[in-house]
Amino acid sequence: MYQHIVVTCGVSLLTGNRNVFSMNRDEIMGEIRPWLSATNIDEEKQRKIDEWIRHAGQFAHEAARDPNRVSAEYSMIYELRRQGKLAERPTVVLIVTETVGGRIVEAILTRLLEEDFQANVRIIYVDVDVNHPRRMQETLGEYMWKVADALSHGEPSTTCFAPIGGYKVMTSLGYIVGAFLHYPTAYMHEDGQVLHEIPPVPIHIDEQFVHDHFDLLRKCQKDMLMRIRFLTAKNNVFFNIRFCSSKRMVLCI
């Protein structure tokens, strides 16, 4: 039974061919659509966002009636409940990008999850800059730290981690974080409606190797691309993980 659900969110709620909200667009969405990935949200964009969210609210009741035509994130929660794996009043953490699309999805999903599943919804915004390679390396490190922090609030046995939405790199790196912290992951595409629960691949860091090659690892730090600070929920030990150009993940103490 899952009490704590962590989900990475994309914009399938707005882009699916048969989804409730993507079908019920108006001229406002025509203006917003080119902005979905925009991060510079000025007053004009925010006004359009708020206006469309109010417009979309009139279709919210259709989600419970046709749950497989809402979004990948909504379908995941619905399927967990259908299989009897969702606890009463669960905590759902939505990890969304700090973009126009992210703000719209966050607002609509929060309303739906609170009304249809009596969920306690928590939002975590992440800044993943896909337009600038150097900045992307930095923002992905921050993203992985936020995923680790969100997972650490629940035990692996009662936590469902579903990195199903957002940029593809968010899904792949999210799985690495979950596996490192021993959390299984769940996956379901909204078209197939089949829930897959994937156990974590064991990731082990050989402390003796770190000790024997300490000088080499110190040199590797100079070639650092990303730094992520992990908190293990089990023993409250902090690890600094560095990803170097050699593409090895090493533990630095």
Side-chain angles (χ1 to χ4, degrees):
M1 189 74 71
Y2 294 121
Q3 179 64 47
H4 186 66
I5 299 96
V6 179
V7 185
T8 64
C9 300
V11 292
S12 65
L13 184 144
L14 303 172
T15 60
N17 293 329
R18 301 183 303 109
N19 289 355
V20 169
F21 295 99
S22 62
M23 291 177 62
N24 291 293
R25 296 173 179 162
D26 63 358
E27 63 276 5
I28 301 173
M29 179 50 69
E31 298 178 52
I32 292 177
R33 185 170 178 77
W35 302 341
L36 290 181
S37 299
T39 57
N40 56 328
I41 304 175
D42 54 24
E43 291 185 5
E44 178 189 0
K45 288 186 175 68
Q46 188 60 54
R47 181 174 59 81
K48 292 291 185 180
I49 290 172
D50 295 339
E51 191 174 348
W52 193 82
I53 290 173
R54 287 193 296 270
H55 165 77
Q58 63 186 303
F59 307 108
H61 66 281
E62 296 184 22
R65 187 175 62 195
D66 203 352
N68 294 332
R69 292 179 51 220
V70 181
S71 71
E73 301 83 11
Y74 188 93
S75 294
M76 172 66 70
I77 306 300
Y78 171 77
E79 188 63 20
L80 288 175
R81 185 175 67 179
R82 192 186 71 81
Q83 294 188 15
K85 297 181 179 181
L86 187 67
E88 293 185 8
R89 301 189 178 280
T91 295
V92 179
V93 181
L94 301 179
I95 299 178
V96 299
T97 57
E98 184 65 82
T99 60
V100 170
R103 288 197 181 182
I104 294 174
V105 168
E106 172 261 312
I108 295 177
L109 279 180
T110 295
R111 173 178 174 175
L112 295 178
L113 297 179
E114 289 177 345
E115 292 181 354
D116 298 345
F117 302 96
Q118 293 73 53
N120 172 32
V121 181
R122 176 184 167 210
I123 306 299
I124 297 179
Y125 276 106
V126 294
D127 176 18
V128 178
D129 192 339
V130 297
N131 296 315
H132 303 90
R134 186 178 183 84
R135 175 60 182 156
M136 182 175 177
Q137 300 293 340
E138 298 172 356
T139 56
L140 285 177
E142 296 168 3
Y143 160 73
M144 294 176 75
W145 184 89
K146 289 183 177 181
V147 169
D149 182 64
L151 290 173
S152 71
H153 286 79
E155 293 294 327
S157 60
T158 58
T159 297
C160 178
F161 178 40
I164 55 176
Y167 299 115
K168 289 182 174 61
V169 69
M170 293 171 61
T171 299
S172 58
L173 293 182
Y175 178 77
I176 291 175
V177 175
F180 182 81
L181 297 178
H182 308 295
Y183 286 84
T185 59
Y187 172 78
M188 185 179 68
H189 194 276
E190 63 266 31
D191 290 340
Q193 303 301 317
V194 177
L195 177 65
H196 304 276
E197 295 177 87
I198 306 169
V201 174
I203 297 178
H204 174 68
I205 296 178
D206 188 343
E207 294 185 14
Q208 187 61 45
F209 175 87
V210 175
H211 182 270
D212 294 343
H213 300 85
F214 186 79
D215 291 338
L216 173 63
L217 297 178
R218 292 287 290 181
K219 292 180 181 178
C220 185
Q221 291 181 27
K222 298 179 181 179
D223 195 25
M224 179 180 64
L225 294 179
M226 292 188 292
R227 177 178 179 178
I228 304 97
R229 195 174 180 226
F230 281 99
L231 169 63
T232 59
K234 182 176 180 180
N235 53 15
N236 289 335
V237 175
F238 285 93
F239 295 94
N240 285 326
I241 305 298
R242 288 175 166 80
F243 290 80
C244 304
S245 60
S246 61
K247 301 191 185 302
R248 286 182 176 271
M249 184 170 68
V250 298
L251 173 65
C252 301
I253 54 177

